[in-house]
Amino acid sequence: SQQGEEDPQALSIQEGENATMNCSYKTSINNLQWYRQNSGRGLVHLILIRSNEREKHSGRLRVTLDTSKKSSSLLITASRAADTASYFCATDARETSGSRLTFGEGTQLTVNP
Amino acid sequence: DTEVTQTPKHLVMGMTNKKSLKCEQHMGHRAMYWYKQKAKKPPELMFVYSYEKLSINESVPSRFSPECPNSSLLNLHLHALQPEDSALYLCASSQPLGPPEQYFGPGTRLTVT
């Protein structure tokens, strides 16, 4: 079952603008990850934030985590047309057999040139 | 080498056919995953292999049969599928006890006729 919900479901912006996507989850987490998926392709890991972190940066990406509200946001600054993709948050129920990811519903981002 | 490869890229099969999907990674990861993804939906976990042993089966119908012949290879054998099984099948790998990020292959687009 999917425990993550993302909003907005779709976001269309102009190149150079910032894009913010939000994710909510229901259970306690060890960490939260964000992945990008270009149309019909595999997912690419973008960034991971641990449950004891509140904010993390990686290049043009900024992720925040509020465990009290069970929510996270992904900010992409100075967007480019190449950022057009679906973005998924994923919570990680860590087990000895590997990481059991549960994905949110995703946000489809379109960056118009 | 941080690549996960999947073959074939596309597969069309009838409901009475038997086919196999293949996945390979050479990152030394000892956890491998199969996901199913329907259009405009997030990936859903099907199976997890850890150290070549099946550790998680998310109540997947028996017409899907996974196999992990060695630490680099993961197969998904398909038999007597239904049209609703048409989807993008994604393979991923990670370290069972290391960083939880998963590395995804590009997927196999399966159409069942």
Side-chain angles (χ1 to χ4, degrees), chain B residues 34-53:
Chain B
W34 280 115
Y35 290 88
K36 174 183 178 180
Q37 185 179 27
K38 301 285 274 185
K40 299 189 186 302
K41 301 297 283 184
E44 293 184 348
L45 183 65
M46 299 174 71
F47 303 104
V48 180
Y49 271 84
S50 179
Y51 298 97
E52 295 86 69
K53 288 185 169 42

Side-chain angles (χ1 to χ4, degrees), chain B residues 4 23 31-35 74 90-94 102-105:
Chain B
V4 176
C23 173
M32 296 186 76
Y33 311 79
W34 280 115
Y35 290 88
L74 185 66
L90 295 162
C91 172
S93 69
S94 75
Q102 293 186 14
Y103 290 78
F104 283 79

Side-chain angles (χ1 to χ4, degrees), chain A residues 2 31 33 35 37 39-45 48 50 88 92 94-101 103-106, chain B residues 31 33 35 37 41-45 48 50 55-56 58 88 90 94-98 100-102 104-106 109:
Chain A
Q2 300 297 323
N31 60 69
Q33 304 176 47
Y35 287 80
Q37 184 178 32
S39 180
R41 303 285 295 171
L43 282 77
V44 175
H45 179 264
L48 177 150
R50 301 193 185 283
F88 295 94
D92 173 20
R94 200 59 200 271
E95 303 176 14
T96 55
S97 57
S99 62
R100 190 188 201 126
L101 296 182
F103 289 89
E105 290 297 311
Chain B
Y33 311 79
Y35 290 88
Q37 185 179 27
K41 301 297 283 184
E44 293 184 348
L45 183 65
V48 180
S50 179
S55 59
I56 296 175
E58 293 285 35
L88 182 68
L90 295 162
S94 75
Q95 289 291 12
L97 298 176
E101 299 93 309
Q102 293 186 14
F104 283 79
R109 174 73 60 188

Side-chain angles (χ1 to χ4, degrees), chain A:
Chain A
S1 62
Q2 300 297 323
Q3 72 160 342
E5 297 179 2
E6 292 181 62
D7 75 88
Q9 290 187 334
L11 180 61
S12 182
I13 60 174
Q14 295 300 121
E15 212 165 22
E17 294 180 341
N18 295 342
T20 299
M21 289 158 269
N22 302 298
C23 166
S24 62
Y25 57 92
K26 297 190 176 92
T27 62
S28 296
I29 60 170
N30 299 317
N31 60 69
L32 186 141
Q33 304 176 47
W34 285 88
Y35 287 80
R36 183 187 75 225
Q37 184 178 32
N38 290 79
S39 180
R41 303 285 295 171
L43 282 77
V44 175
H45 179 264
L46 294 176
I47 194 166
L48 177 150
I49 186 164
R50 301 193 185 283
S51 59
N52 61 353
E53 297 176 311
R54 292 297 168 260
E55 187 171 313
K56 198 163 183 180
H57 296 253
S58 177
R60 294 185 296 113
L61 305 180
R62 173 181 168 243
V63 170
T64 62
L65 179 65
D66 187 335
T67 52
S68 66
K69 295 181 180 177
K70 291 187 167 58
S71 67
S72 174
S73 68
L74 172 68
L75 168 67
I76 303 173
T77 60
S79 64
R80 305 166 181 167
D83 294 329
T84 295
S86 292
Y87 291 82
F88 295 94
C89 67
T91 54
D92 173 20
R94 200 59 200 271
E95 303 176 14
T96 55
S97 57
S99 62
R100 190 188 201 126
L101 296 182
T102 301
F103 289 89
E105 290 297 311
T107 294
Q108 172 60 54
L109 173 66
T110 301
V111 181
N112 301 299

